[in-house]
Amino acid sequence: MRILSGLQPSGRLHIGNYFGMMEAALKLQHEGEAFYFIADYHSLTSIHDGKLLRSHVRDLAIDFLACGLDPAKCVFFRQSDVPEHTELAWILSTVTPMGLLERCHSYKDKTARGIAASHGLFAYPVLMAADILIYDSDLVPVGRDQKQHVEVTRDIAVKMNEAFGEGLLKIPTPRIREETAVVPGLDGQKMSKSYGNTIELFEEPAKLKKKIMGIPTDSTPVESPKPTEGSSILALYQLVATPADYDSMIADFQRGGIGYGEFKKRLLQAMTEHFAPYRERRAEIVANPSYVDHVLAEGAEKARAVARQTLRRVRDAVGLG
Ligand code: ADP
Ligand code: TRP
């Protein structure tokens, strides 16, 4: 089974990214042949600063490795090291109905948030389809907001197969992890960079403390039971605490007698402990910069060998070259 996923290098990772997509992808590296990449061509739709993009790519590579991506188990690479993706995207775009792209939520959401309405942003799902199809991927673990793009990919693959021969491209399946499909931010809305309500995966300890202790709460008196419904403290705690500790926090909410400050302290401790091993590993990787270059170079070579083969097959089928 071939598994593929990508993340855009668009700033520091937050725990919504981690629990929404990355954790599941990292688990899957032990269950099949995984290809994971840093989607820098995609980030060009929102970042027009070469130095910044390069530094985001590096940060994301370090974060992925720190969180347990094992380059001996999976192929880890930077998208732009495999330019075959863009050629396949062009070929796919010629069978992609405009209506299919016009229905995509992401374009509307992003332009509503102020990202320039470029052709690249509009055509982005076609590039994503190329990313997936060029590796004959079976399974694509993504966050819920990316599911529509995998469905578009399936539609495009079907169109290609209808036009150029059954079996030319493999039809992939999305895998969404429903339990953590929406990680709430500090304010209870979906955690997102654009809402400024994030906890970064490698937040400075002092900043992490400030953010967690500052989570807005209602004015229930200390001695009274606290509402569990819609509590971001509980929702975040569930992600990082053991099931027994989580159950005991629920019981303490319901019983009353403990203030929100105490619950926040427990959350802070669990969050710090959960990510401590990753933090250590991150420091080791940062101290050895050539390791990251080496991993990405090796990944690019392996990815490119597969991508070239698929592209050759497609070029033959459509009549190019
Ligand atoms: P942001 O909303 O912060 O800009 P992205 O859109 O770059 O995040 O998301 C990258 C990946 O992380 C996507 O697969 C997305 O589904 C997942 N993701 C982002 N925020 C969350 C969240 N709050 N809960 C679950 N998954 C998330
Ligand atoms: N569009 C995805 C995101 O914004 C990143 C991405 C690009 C991707 N190509 C992909 C994810 C292929 C899965 C498969 O998060």
Side-chain angles (χ1 to χ4, degrees), residues 4-8 21 37 39 42 79 110 124 127-129 131-132 140-142 145-146 149-150:
L4 173 128
S5 196
L7 261 181
Q8 285 197 62
M21 175 273 178
F37 69 95
H42 279 91
Q79 186 185 26
K110 287 185 176 171
Y124 170 117
L127 179 58
M128 182 155 161
D131 300 335
I132 297 170
V140 186
V142 282
D145 62 337
Q146 296 297 320
H149 293 153
V150 184

Side-chain angles (χ1 to χ4, degrees), residues 80-209:
S80 61
D81 282 339
V82 190
E84 284 79 4
H85 289 219
T86 60
E87 184 176 343
L88 181 61
W90 172 254
I91 298 171
L92 300 181
S93 79
T94 64
V95 303
T96 305
M98 283 296 285
L100 195 60
L101 299 180
E102 279 160 359
R103 282 196 294 277
C104 287
H105 307 301
S106 144
Y107 177 75
K108 291 176 226 158
D109 293 350
K110 287 185 176 171
T111 49
R113 279 195 258 146
I115 298 182
S118 66
H119 170 258
L121 191 68
F122 183 71
Y124 170 117
V126 184
L127 179 58
M128 182 155 161
D131 300 335
I132 297 170
L133 299 173
I134 207 161
Y135 297 102
D136 290 323
S137 312
D138 297 291
L139 199 65
V140 186
V142 282
R144 188 186 280 164
D145 62 337
Q146 296 297 320
K147 188 175 178 204
Q148 188 183 35
H149 293 153
V150 184
E151 282 158 1
V152 165
T153 302
R154 290 167 62 93
D155 289 348
I156 294 176
V158 167
K159 287 244 175 258
M160 283 291 289
N161 289 349
E162 278 169 6
F164 300 110
E166 274 321 306
L168 176 63
L169 293 173
K170 189 174 244 179
I171 314 289
T173 308
R175 159 90 62 97
I176 318 293
R177 198 169 168 220
E178 286 304 332
E179 321 85 81
T180 52
V182 182
V183 174
L186 295 165
D187 57 358
Q189 287 190 83
K190 178 195 149 169
M191 186 176 289
S192 170
K193 278 188 297 291
S194 35
Y195 301 146
N197 62 357
T198 59
I199 297 176
E200 286 177 10
L201 199 49
F202 295 105
E203 195 85 70
E204 285 291 310
K207 232 170 143 191
L208 178 66
K209 182 170 179 192

Side-chain angles (χ1 to χ4, degrees), residues 214-287:
I215 293 177
T217 47
D218 61 27
S219 51
T220 315
V222 174
E223 58 284 3
S224 309
K226 316 278 178 303
T228 53
E229 194 69 18
S231 159
S232 16
I233 300 179
L234 271 173
L236 293 170
Y237 194 61
Q238 187 172 21
L239 299 169
V240 290
T242 63
D245 286 347
Y246 174 66
D247 288 346
S248 104
M249 191 184 280
I250 294 236
D252 290 341
F253 257 66
Q254 289 166 339
R255 194 177 308 119
I258 296 179
Y260 282 119
E262 165 61 24
F263 293 130
K264 289 178 185 174
K265 278 191 202 147
R266 284 193 216 170
L267 171 60
L268 176 62
Q269 191 183 352
M271 182 90 54
T272 306
E273 281 171 14
H274 189 85
F275 291 112
Y278 303 165
R279 211 177 268 276
E280 263 174 46
R281 173 105 183 95
R282 189 172 201 282
E284 283 167 25
I285 297 168
V286 169

